Amino acid sequence: MRYLKVLWRHDLPDEPVELYSELDDAGYEIRKVEIYRDGRQDFADGESSSGTTMLGEGPLPSLEEIGEQEEFCPSLIESAQFENVWRQALIESNSS
């Protein structure tokens, strides 16, 4: 498993600014969290989702390929950081 955080620099009010993905060995998303500028958090996994968040249909590009697009700032993170973000998104979803 790999865990990816991508900061997305843009001015689009309805798009997330932080993307967190748990990836399998082939690069497919298993779980995903999207955080918006207003603090809203949506999530998706193989069984459920919130908002418009969905898992990608194919493998994600490499970290280097994502970073070649100047609006994206990708980094690998530890599983514990992803789990914290995931739990927070589930809590927010259940309280909405």
Side-chain angles (χ1 to χ4, degrees):
M1 297 287 183
R2 292 180 297 141
Y3 300 89
L4 181 65
K5 174 183 179 181
V6 178
L7 299 178
W8 184 11
R9 297 179 291 254
H10 62 77
D11 295 324
L12 306 168
D14 297 327
E15 295 294 334
V17 294
E18 291 181 45
L19 311 163
Y20 293 84
S21 298
E22 177 183 47
L23 307 173
D24 68 13
D25 292 337
Y28 286 86
E29 290 180 319
I30 298 170
R31 296 185 291 170
K32 179 183 205 171
V33 175
E34 296 180 334
I35 301 177
Y36 295 80
R37 192 170 272 115
D38 64 4
R40 181 171 40 103
Q41 299 177 34
D42 288 328
F43 72 92
D45 63 16
E47 299 175 8
S48 60
S49 65
S50 66
T52 59
T53 301
M54 300 182 327
L55 297 179
E57 294 182 9
L60 260 57
S62 70
L63 203 64
E64 294 77 19
E65 289 174 291
I66 295 169
E68 288 174 358
Q69 299 178 53
E70 66 181 44
E71 68 269 23
F72 295 121
C73 181
S75 60
L76 292 176
I77 60 172
E78 297 293 325
S79 62
Q81 184 179 355
F82 179 86
E83 291 300 336
N84 287 337
V85 171
W86 179 256
R87 277 193 300 278
Q88 188 60 42
L90 294 180
I91 290 168
E92 180 175 307
S93 174
N94 288 330
S95 68
S96 299

